[in-house]
Amino acid sequence: MDIGIGLPNTVPATEPARLLDWARQAEGAGFSTLGTIGRLVYQGYEELIALSAAAAVTSRIRLTTSVLLAPLHTNAALLAKQAASLERISGGRFVLGVGLGGRDDDFAASGLSTKGRGRRFEEQLQEMKQVWAGEERGFAGGIGPRPVRDGGPELILGGGTEASFRRVAELGDGWIMGGGSPDMFAQAAAGVDAAWRDAGRSGTPRKLSLAYFGLGPNARAQADGYLLDYYGFLGDVAGQIAGSAAVTPDMVKSYVAAFEAGGCDELIFVPTGSGPEQVELLAEAIA
């Protein structure tokens, strides 16, 4: 199983230089990917821009939106162009992870309704794949640039419902769980695999998951301070999410073992702080 690390793009007060140093550190430490989480109404950096900056200071590590809230991007052709641009600029390292999103304030701020977002999401995915395939749209031809990877950037879809699993099988290359226990992952992954087989797809979908972490002397306070704020709109559930964060090396190791046993192909540890020691501490914990 590959082990990735999140870029602290949503951690408040993270300075731009810290993002770039974090990306360099993560690549030097051997992590498989730099992930980002997405939200509009919060103090954080937009994912595609943050990963573009990371692409400029790295050369090997994958760059994954884990996930970007696609329905907020109503111009699917433009989103396809942005994704293809980042994928080509990074030499094919970009992985587009997308999900529906569920926060009313993000949609309200975008002038959108949450109703019908599943249908709009599928239409977006179909249009983006047509753009990446080079479909002509006007006198000048198709919408470029042409992606490095045939068919466009690797497309990973989030969601935990049967409809989400069907979308993965019909339109995606893989699936990602945005949060939850290893047991929850294994159960949902079985549903993804079943939908994949039912759709007549060959091989198996790539399956990813996220897990929050914070390490060091003040790990618990750091995790609580960030996650209780970030997920405050969920009420008591925010405390459960904060409590699940890996705040010791033993917790990190147990998550790695359990997710790997559950069939996870890549586990991305999302930071709850942006201190310069966090990358090194996580690398030591999984060594």
Side-chain angles (χ1 to χ4, degrees):
M1 182 178 70
D2 291 336
I3 306 294
I5 187 171
L7 195 67
N9 67 298
T10 58
V11 175
T14 299
E15 294 295 330
R18 180 85 285 272
L19 281 181
L20 300 183
D21 288 343
W22 185 285
R24 296 186 188 97
Q25 282 183 272
E27 179 165 82
F31 288 104
S32 59
T33 197
L34 278 167
T36 57
I37 55 177
R39 183 171 172 183
L40 180 60
V41 185
Y42 199 72
Q43 295 298 312
Y45 300 99
E46 195 278 331
E47 306 98 292
L48 295 176
I49 291 176
L51 288 178
S52 294
V57 296
T58 58
S59 60
R60 176 199 59 78
I61 196 167
R62 282 196 296 266
L63 309 161
T64 303
T65 51
S66 54
V67 295
L68 178 146
L69 306 183
L72 302 184
H73 299 256
T74 55
N75 187 332
L78 177 57
L79 179 58
K81 185 179 186 74
Q82 291 171 320
S85 297
L86 179 49
E87 193 252 9
R88 178 157 283 278
I89 286 171
S90 66
R93 292 184 286 140
F94 178 56
V95 177
L96 180 61
V98 288
L100 282 175
R103 298 179 178 90
D104 290 341
D105 54 0
D106 286 343
F107 283 82
S110 302
L112 300 171
S113 170
T114 56
K115 294 181 179 179
R117 68 188 190 278
R119 173 186 52 79
R120 297 198 306 269
F121 185 42
E122 292 186 18
E123 292 172 352
Q124 278 185 300
L125 297 175
Q126 292 165 348
E127 182 169 359
M128 288 193 293
K129 291 173 76 71
Q130 291 167 358
V131 168
W132 295 331
E135 182 179 275
E136 293 190 4
R137 296 298 180 96
F139 179 78
I143 298 171
R146 185 170 61 86
V148 173
R149 181 178 180 271
D150 288 342
E154 184 179 3
L155 188 59
I156 304 296
L157 310 184
T161 65
E162 290 187 7
S164 299
F165 302 159
R166 175 186 54 79
R167 290 188 193 103
V168 172
E170 294 178 356
L171 298 165
D173 301 301
W175 167 75
I176 184 168
M177 185 175 78
S181 69
D183 287 343
M184 292 170 61
F185 175 88
Q187 182 177 358
V192 173
D193 285 337
W196 192 268
R197 291 192 299 270
D198 290 345
R201 298 283 297 269
S202 61
T204 57
R206 194 159 78 91
K207 295 182 282 292
L208 301 79
S209 186
L210 304 181
Y212 284 106
F213 87 96
L215 297 169
N218 300 312
R220 173 48 62 194
Q222 172 184 291
D224 288 349
Y226 170 64
L227 295 172
L228 291 176
D229 181 59
Y230 190 82
Y231 289 106
F233 70 100
L234 292 175
D236 292 342
V237 175
Q240 298 173 23
I241 296 172
S244 71
V247 294
T248 67
D250 285 345
M251 288 184 72
V252 169
K253 288 180 171 63
S254 69
Y255 276 8
V256 169
F259 275 99
E260 186 169 21
C264 187
D265 296 306
E266 183 170 55
L267 179 61
I268 303 174
F269 281 98
V270 180
T272 56
S274 55
E277 75 286 352
Q278 292 299 307
V279 177
E280 183 179 350
L281 287 172
L282 182 62
E284 292 173 352
I286 64 173

